[in-house]
Amino acid sequence: MTKLTIFLFLSFCLISSSYSLAYKSTHDDFVECLSHKIMNSTLISQVIHTPKNSSYSTLLNSFSFNLRISSNFEPSTIFTPTNESQIQEAIHCSKKHGLQIRIRGGGHDYEGLSYISEIPFVVIDLRNLRSISIDTEKKTAWIQAGATLGEVYYRIAEKSKKLAFAAGVCPTVGVGGHFSGGGYGMLSRKYGTAADNIIDAKLIGANGRIHDRESMGEDHFWAIRGGGGTSFGLIISWKIKLVDIPEKVTVFNVPRTLEQNVTQLVYKWQHIADKVDDNLLLRIFVRNSEFPFGGGQRTIHASFVALYVGGVDELLHEVQKSFAELGLVKDDCIEMSWIESTLFFAGFPRNTSLDVLLNWNTTTNQKGYFKGKSDYVQQTISLNGIEGVLKLLFNQLGGENSGAELQFSPYGGKLSDISEFEIPFPHRAGNIFMIEYAVYWGNINYSQSNIDWSRKIYRYMGKYVSKSPRAAYFNYRDLDLGMNNISGNTSYAQARIWGVKYFKNNFDRLVKIKTKIDPTNFFRNEQTRIRQLYEYMAKYVSKSPRAAYFNYRDLDLGMNNKGNTSYEQGKIWGRNTSRTTLID
Ligand SMILES: Cc1cc2nc3c(=O)[nH]c(=O)nc-3n(C[C@H](O)[C@H](O)[C@H](O)COP(=O)(O)OP(=O)(O)OC[C@H]3O[C@@H](n4cnc5c(N)ncnc54)[C@H](O)[C@@H]3O)c2cc1C
């Protein structure tokens, strides 16, 4: 070893050991701080889990259904609070000792951002906060943020056969993340997203205080309904508006293969999917024959899956009128209660007990590797385009136990009636359908080829989907779209790259709200919006005036009043931009 190599080696050892010592002491200080606050020793052992406790690895193991997710760090502590004030204490202690927190609801984040981080962190896992109280008279419910969709559906149906809620299909998805990012499900054409139906919330803000809608203010309340979990505080509970549902709805799941003209059917479907009666939501799940990990002759299967809020005869009439090519017949359709339909769409066999909806731990038993991406389609895709994407699906060969799926989910109906500015979820009028590209595999050696496949199909679809921005669904989080720098600041321009894909024209408002309510950027992850760097940079840049380039127009510098704007007012930004022009 040369002297230089020895020097570098020793330096590395010294740096890394002092780093891990510092980390250890920060972590110990955090645990001590939290234990001191909680005081009760029995409770401490039930809610604070460190690598020294056997409960720690059990919890850690239960976190991820997606083996693709890994990080250099595991949480130094997993905290499973049983009440709100314990969360406040944890936030206080993590701030005091400089540890980042990750909030875990149902743990379904596609990139695992609720339980991994590249810097030392603590997980606040909300599994003990899952109570749900339903008010059938007022048609509302308060739901604690650790509850799952299955529990919400179950508790609603327990109280009423005529009420339901519009949210996602998978019962183990948590309301913490799902509602914060939108929440698309089988009732979305009729009633919008889950976030469209939130009427109040309780959260703990960066200041450690508990707020409800009134005390957090309308801007903050706007941001949490679709602006993404994590950024705007820790949601403790949501108040939702329940929706009316008839005692019977109708469902079907009609399979078709490549040989049964899937290409033509998909082509035709996109011409009607967003235009049919709002009571009908007809999705397509297109899979290659390896999905879900099946063998046999290779082909493409499409499942045409629908919920109709009404009886079978009206449904048949609607489908035969708009999509006769599907060849739907009465025998394909089943009338059932809405709660039974939630089991049907989650893939449970008929007559499965409703109790499975309360089993919030099911997904973690089925571990595998997974990558998802999303797109929005605003103009129908040519037949050639559909042939091309199905060919790519057909050719996906991801090793043992692998398979791929394209989900085509229609928009229109209530989703289009709501303005794109009403809440941060912006995918409204003009969207025909959303695509999810999902790929699964069972062997780590095939990770790169499967991830490459997902990027290839995404590249291929570029010419057929929304542009400027190429929009994406926040709840199908995709770090390929971009992420914050791990060390150092991320510029506004960088964050905007993925921010406008998820939130379109709502991105800037979200940044402003974030900057105001969490100026130190306490609640953050790899894709949270940046703290505005503008204020921070003030001491380093030109002064009197702080000059700005006119072509990078920035209305934060000032703008005209709706009525007259005085010369003095105009001068504020006019001098900054070396112009005296007043801008609108
Ligand atoms: C199998 C599966 C099926 C799915 N089906 C659908 C579907 O039908 N429709 C649909 O729209 N989406 C669906 N999704 C996507 C799902 O909506 C998102 O992944 C959602 O973010 C999951 O929420 P969670 O609480 O389970 O996840 P988590 O991983 O716990 O959280 C997701 C994000 O929200 C943050 N967060 C969680 N709880 C809180 C809280 N209380 N306060 C603040 N931030 C919080 C987390 O820190 C993380 O950043 C599905 C995902 C999977 C894996």
Side-chain angles (χ1 to χ4, degrees), residues 328-374:
L328 186 74
V329 294
K330 199 164 188 168
D331 278 353
D332 293 323
C333 307
I334 315 169
E335 284 187 338
M336 56 176 65
S337 63
W338 165 74
I339 193 67
E340 286 167 333
S341 81
T342 65
L343 293 186
F344 179 84
F345 296 120
F348 290 104
R350 278 228 75 194
N351 301 322
T352 301
S353 161
L354 291 179
D355 292 350
V356 293
L357 293 173
L358 301 176
N359 184 2
W360 46 272
N361 225 359
T362 44
T363 346
T364 48
N365 301 331
Q366 307 152 6
K367 295 197 182 209
Y369 297 82
F370 166 74
K371 172 73 190 158
K373 302 174 85 63
S374 65

Side-chain angles (χ1 to χ4, degrees), residues 65 102-110 112-115 126 145-147 149 167-170 172-185 228-238 283 363 370 407 434 436 440 473-477 523 525:
F65 69 98
R102 287 290 146 112
I103 307 161
R104 184 183 178 278
H108 283 58
D109 191 284
Y110 277 13
L113 299 194
S114 49
Y115 54 88
L126 301 175
L149 298 183
V169 166
C170 174
T172 52
V173 163
V175 302
H178 185 69
F179 292 8
S180 326
Y184 178 99
T230 304
S231 290
F232 303 98
L234 188 151
I235 310 287
I236 310 167
S237 50
W238 301 105
R283 291 172 103 167
T363 346
F370 166 74
Q407 283 183 19
M434 166 174 75
E436 182 188 0
Y440 305 79
Y473 178 33
F474 182 82
N475 270 352
Y476 297 157
R477 195 196 296 274
F523 289 108
N525 65 32

